[in-house]
Amino acid sequence: MTGVIAFPVLGTVLAIAGMPANEIYPLLGYCGAIGTAVLVAASGGRKLITGLAELVLRVSQ
């Protein structure tokens, strides 16, 4: 639930600080992916984490 508040706030702060929007969106996306990966890894979902890692690699290329 904190991500629902934290990501828009962080995006707003970065925009006010002068970071271009085309850099903010990928940064927040990667942060969300890392957070999801940590949660899945902590819950023991190896197949899910493998699929998520593969998706992140495909998107980043």
Side-chain angles (χ1 to χ4, degrees):
M1 186 66 170
T2 58
V4 173
I5 297 169
F7 284 127
V9 170
L10 181 58
T12 302
V13 169
L14 290 172
I16 290 172
M19 187 174 197
N22 64 348
E23 293 179 11
I24 294 173
Y25 297 130
L27 175 66
L28 294 179
Y30 292 138
C31 290
I34 290 169
T36 302
V38 168
L39 287 174
V40 170
S43 67
R46 286 189 174 182
K47 286 185 179 183
L48 277 171
I49 192 74
T50 304
L52 180 64
E54 184 179 329
L55 177 66
V56 169
L57 286 174
R58 286 184 186 178
V59 169
S60 67
Q61 293 179 354

